[in-house]
Amino acid sequence: MGTAAGDVDERAPPVRFEELTRQTVPSPGGGDAAVSADWWRGATIYQVYPRSFADADGDGSGDLAGVRSRLGYLADLGVDAIWLTPWYPSPMADGGYDVADYRAIDPAFGDLAEAEGLIADAFAMGIRTIIDVVPNHVSSEHAWFRAAVAAGPGSPERDRFWFRDGRGPRGEQPPNGWTSNFGGGAWTRLTSPEGTPEQWYLHLFAPGQPDLNWDHPDVRREYQDILRFWFDRGVAGIRIDSAALLAKDPRLPDLPDGTPDAGAHPYVDRDELQDIYRGWRRIGDSYGGDRVLIGEIWLADVDRFVRYLRPDILHSAFNFDFMTAPWDARRLRRSIESTISAHAVVGAPPTWVLSNHDVTRPVTRYGRTDTAFAFDTKRFGTPTDLGLGTRRARAAALLAMALPGAYYLYQGDELGLPEVEELPLERLQDPMYARSGGVDPGRDGCRVPIPWSGDIPPYGFGAAGGRTWLPQPDDWGRYTVNAQLNDPDSMLSLHRDALRLRRDLPDLGDGALEWVRSEPEVIAFRRGPDLVCVTNLGTSPAHLPRHTGVWVTSRPMEGGRLPPDTTAWLRLRH
Ligand code: GLC
């Protein structure tokens, strides 16, 4: 094993989760984690991409034993929960979002016992575990899809998916003109064992991810069962992948010209979803009230977005409006305002997200001329000023951590890792790259294994001298955890300091915000009686509101003013 063991004693017998929930366990918030039903409202949730977090068995790919060995690092960082992207058996046509079996763990990651051990170890350290469930589609290797292919046209097995005959005299045209989110068409035609072209099936993502038919009772029952399976094993929450896409208009009409009325799109944000998730909520609530449902919901209309967050539906959803907004004071303030006011209507806490495994790393994105994120504008060779991007990413992290609600941190962002844009083309794995005909670099650049120690790859990620599933850059020695841990000015220290404050100061996390008057290029707000957060997005130093001291800053002050691209948390009391 190439990774240093954290605080976990591997020889200790695993503790069952049911035993843990009956005990009082240390909670990062200082309370009793076992009984705190609202833990998620102001939580810091750290996203683990298991393939790239830590590799305990030295095969170049991260695993659950690796995550277990690094729980001490995460507890120290000050996170309340981890969200792991899919860990199930998968052909990896889309990084595990093509699930072949929901009741097992991919052998490359470990096994069910390892997953249960991880959940229990984490909980004992005050860290809850959130897992990913992908209801829109399964893998084409899933038993249901294999059975559907084998059973042939017209069979009940095919009704669990969207199989249709093609259009045109020989069915050679796809059933409609929908396109895949990864580029190209959303339909793939099967070929019979005799070699004759057959029916088409729908996949809003890669061909290895056939869409399920949510009008089918088997599908609804199966996912309810999957939720119970994992809640029984102690998971604290479910991140629902592509949560706005599962319900389809069964007529499968072509997309209308222009924007359809709310709820009338053939597969985005349809009203049927609300009832599906109401059923899921009832299941979650039957576990004592502290299990959460978190939607991955990409919707531009915030009023439609918060409909999913009504008290009997989902608890929470990722705030992509904030995540994709450019580094611009007016735009960010508008996003914060509309987020907070729309969430207040339904009583749900907002979430603040700066990145994840699908988008460009913040230090890279903020170092560009166009600082907004959009999937369709990613290109190879975009000029980047990493120094500028890093200053802004530090300021953005402090801003996001001070806002009311939950905060999501994607692994490696606490180290200030840049997007890796020089990966050899033949090593790229993301279907977005291939399906765009090589135009879109895809998402591999934010999924490179993270560096822990040392000066050469794999930087303590796995066995010394080993090859990692995506290659790490040669200059990542300066980004390792070890290199940053004792440097008070490092990105890691900034995150540790701020997350500690976020836990210790009761006015941070869930709660209210009060705007403070400021120059137009400055965002300033108050959290309780003793903290003002000020971010300068302008190009010249900004005046600071009256204060008695400084909790933390993303960069040193200059002559009592706040430099450009800087955030400070100011103290107000003596
Ligand atoms: C979500 C995931 C992404 C995946 C897609 C299809 O957007 O975050 O990684 O490719 O769903 O499952």
Side-chain angles (χ1 to χ4, degrees):
M1 177 177 130
T3 54
D7 297 344
V8 181
D9 182 354
E10 297 285 348
R11 290 155 310 176
V15 186
R16 298 286 309 170
F17 184 79
E18 304 84 78
E19 292 164 28
L20 283 167
T21 52
R22 284 196 295 274
Q23 300 167 6
T24 297
V25 300
S27 143
D32 173 356
V35 296
S36 159
D38 279 353
W39 66 270
W40 51 277
R41 295 184 66 92
T44 296
I45 299 168
Y46 183 95
Q47 181 189 354
V48 175
Y49 195 77
R51 223 176 165 186
S52 297
F53 189 69
D55 170 21
D57 67 7
D59 66 353
S61 203
D63 43 47
L64 301 191
V67 180
R68 275 178 98 175
S69 76
R70 298 292 188 182
L71 286 171
Y73 167 75
L74 296 174
D76 233 39
L77 184 59
V79 309
D80 302 303
I82 48 175
W83 148 38
L84 295 111
T85 54
W87 56 8
Y88 318 101
S90 165
M92 296 283 166
D94 177 24
Y97 284 93
D98 45 325
V99 178
D101 176 3
Y102 265 109
R103 295 177 182 79
I105 299 293
D106 195 292
F109 290 144
D111 57 19
L112 215 45
E114 189 79 58
E116 290 178 7
L118 166 57
I119 294 166
D121 286 352
F123 196 80
M125 292 170 135
I127 300 174
R128 290 177 156 85
T129 301
I130 295 165
I131 59 162
D132 223 309
V133 164
V134 189
N136 182 66
H137 44 266
V138 290
S139 161
S140 50
E141 294 299 311
H142 188 281
W144 276 6
F145 192 74
R146 292 162 71 120
V149 171
S155 62
E157 286 85 347
R158 289 208 172 179
D159 287 346
R160 294 176 179 140
F161 298 90
W162 296 102
F163 281 92
R164 291 290 184 273
D165 293 334
R167 292 179 298 184
R170 286 173 305 283
E172 71 283 10
Q173 305 283 334
N176 68 25
W178 296 0
T179 52
S180 152
N181 280 302
F182 292 159
W187 294 88
T188 290
R189 194 172 193 186
L190 294 179
T191 307
S192 74
E194 298 75 44
T196 42
E198 229 239 55
Q199 284 194 303
W200 298 72
Y201 68 90
L202 175 69
H203 51 85
L204 289 182
F205 293 92
Q209 298 168 294
D211 278 45
L212 288 163
N213 170 10
W214 274 83
D215 295 332
H216 198 296
D218 285 0
V219 173
R220 295 195 181 212
R221 237 189 339 258
E222 170 68 358
Y223 274 84
Q224 296 197 345
D225 235 57
I226 291 166
L227 296 190
R228 288 194 195 92
F229 181 89
W230 288 105
F231 283 144
D232 285 345
R233 279 162 182 77
V235 308
I238 306 285
R239 180 260 189 192
I240 308 167
D241 185 76
S242 305
L245 303 183
L246 2 170
K248 315 275 180 329
D249 179 339
R251 297 172 299 127
L252 305 179
D254 271 313
L255 299 190
D257 296 330
T259 317
D261 292 341
H265 190 285
Y267 61 81
V268 179
D269 183 30
R270 291 180 66 79
D271 290 337
E272 303 91 286
L273 289 168
Q274 308 281 324
D275 256 353
I276 295 173
Y277 295 134
R278 271 198 188 91
W280 289 27
R281 178 65 177 253
R282 282 193 291 276
I283 293 172
D285 285 351
S286 72
Y287 283 80
D290 66 345
R291 313 298 168 103
V292 299
L293 301 172
I294 305 158
E296 188 213 11
I297 299 175
W298 289 86
L299 285 183
D301 178 342
V302 69
D303 297 317
R304 292 290 297 182
F305 177 89
V306 297
R307 287 174 77 242
Y308 291 86
L309 306 181
R310 287 175 287 174
D312 60 340
I313 311 183
L314 306 182
H315 296 79
S316 179
F318 298 97
N319 182 354
F320 293 127
D321 185 63
F322 181 79
M323 182 184 81
T324 53
W327 188 244
D328 174 271
R330 285 174 193 79
R331 179 66 185 83
L332 278 172
R333 195 182 299 105
R334 204 166 61 235
S335 178
I336 296 167
E337 275 170 348
S338 64
T339 298
I340 291 176
S341 58
H343 282 70
V345 172
V346 293
T351 65
W352 308 101
V353 186
L354 291 172
S355 89
N356 63 32
H357 64 294
D358 292 330
V359 307
T360 310
R361 291 269 191 197
V363 300
T364 300
R365 173 161 75 90
Y366 290 135
R368 292 183 163 161
T369 311
D370 178 4
T371 51
F373 176 80
F375 283 105
D376 51 5
T377 55
K378 279 184 80 177
R379 292 293 175 267
F380 287 100
T382 311
T384 305
D385 175 346
L386 272 186
L388 175 66
T390 302
R391 288 195 295 280
R392 289 175 172 171
R394 291 171 66 95
L398 279 193
L399 166 65
M401 283 186 228
L403 288 165
Y407 173 62
Y408 282 83
L409 173 59
Y410 174 49
Q411 72 177 37
D413 282 351
E414 82 278 22
L415 304 176
L417 297 183
E419 185 85 0
V420 183
E421 305 198 281
E422 283 83 35
L423 290 167
L425 297 182
E426 69 280 6
R427 300 284 295 273
L428 295 182
Q429 314 232 351
D430 184 10
M432 276 188 148
Y433 166 68
R435 287 183 67 87
S436 70
V439 173
D440 181 337
R443 301 163 294 176
D444 294 303
C446 65
R447 299 175 177 181
V448 171
I450 65 172
W452 293 91
S453 58
D455 290 324
I456 51 166
Y459 305 105
F461 167 75
R467 179 180 154 113
T468 49
W469 73 279
L470 284 174
Q472 299 160 303
D474 289 333
D475 63 351
W476 269 18
R478 63 193 150 128
Y479 291 113
T480 65
V481 171
N482 275 8
Q484 298 196 41
L485 215 46
N486 298 316
D487 171 1
D489 297 328
S490 69
M491 187 69 127
L492 179 56
S493 296
L494 178 76
H495 279 79
R496 284 159 57 98
D497 293 348
L499 290 179
R500 198 160 304 143
L501 283 168
R502 202 172 180 278
R503 273 185 305 177
D504 292 347
L505 300 177
D507 291 320
L508 289 176
D510 191 25
L513 156 161
E514 197 187 315
W515 291 105
V516 170
R517 272 167 65 98
S518 63
E519 298 155 54
E521 298 300 325
V522 170
I523 295 178
F525 55 87
R526 191 172 168 137
R527 298 296 317 271
D530 199 16
L531 191 147
V532 168
C533 175
V534 191
T535 304
N536 181 4
L537 295 97
T539 49
S540 48
H543 292 283
L544 289 168
R546 200 189 301 273
H547 58 282
T548 57
V550 175
W551 290 109
V552 60
T553 55
S554 66
R555 266 172 91 194
M557 307 286 187
E558 280 169 13
R561 297 212 183 161
L562 191 65
D565 301 315
T566 307
T567 295
W569 292 1
L570 304 175
R571 300 194 67 154
L572 302 176
R573 282 184 175 156
H574 289 284

